[in-house]
Amino acid sequence: MALSIEASEPLELFLWKGNEDANPDKLKNELADVIMYALLLADKHGLDIKQIVEDKMKLNNEKYPVEKAKGTAKKYNEL
């Protein structure tokens, strides 16, 4: 639950603003919170961060091949 709450906090920095208007120091702090909670959750469940990121990138590459997905927001089943 904490990860979900923390993950929404960076969004507040962009509410009613453009990307260039967000405070970079506040963004760094909010992103650090999200990353720390994600790392804690992975550690609690014995997950290897490097491996799960590599696995997810491989899956994304299979689902969204560059030649089909670049420049579109279509889901993998619509490409």
Side-chain angles (χ1 to χ4, degrees), residues 9-43:
E9 290 183 8
L11 297 175
E12 290 180 73
L13 302 176
F14 296 94
L15 187 63
W16 314 117
K17 300 176 185 174
N19 282 338
E20 64 282 348
D21 298 322
N23 181 315
D25 291 325
K26 288 182 180 179
L27 180 58
K28 285 191 271 186
N29 286 328
E30 295 301 344
L31 288 176
D33 289 340
V34 173
I35 292 166
M36 287 187 295
Y37 275 107
L39 292 172
L40 286 168
L41 184 61
D43 184 62

Side-chain angles (χ1 to χ4, degrees):
M1 289 189 294
L3 177 57
S4 178
I5 292 165
E6 291 297 336
S8 67
E9 290 183 8
L11 297 175
E12 290 180 73
L13 302 176
F14 296 94
L15 187 63
W16 314 117
K17 300 176 185 174
N19 282 338
E20 64 282 348
D21 298 322
N23 181 315
D25 291 325
K26 288 182 180 179
L27 180 58
K28 285 191 271 186
N29 286 328
E30 295 301 344
L31 288 176
D33 289 340
V34 173
I35 292 166
M36 287 187 295
Y37 275 107
L39 292 172
L40 286 168
L41 184 61
D43 184 62
K44 180 176 181 168
H45 291 277
L47 301 174
D48 178 342
I49 294 289
K50 183 176 185 270
Q51 187 62 56
I52 63 175
V53 169
E54 287 175 355
D55 291 346
K56 182 61 176 178
M57 289 174 64
K58 181 180 177 188
L59 179 63
N60 284 347
N61 285 334
E62 292 169 2
K63 288 172 70 172
Y64 301 99
V66 173
E67 62 277 359
K68 290 183 178 180
K70 185 175 181 178
T72 182
K74 291 180 180 179
K75 294 233 5 139
Y76 65 94
N77 59 350
E78 297 173 345
L79 293 174

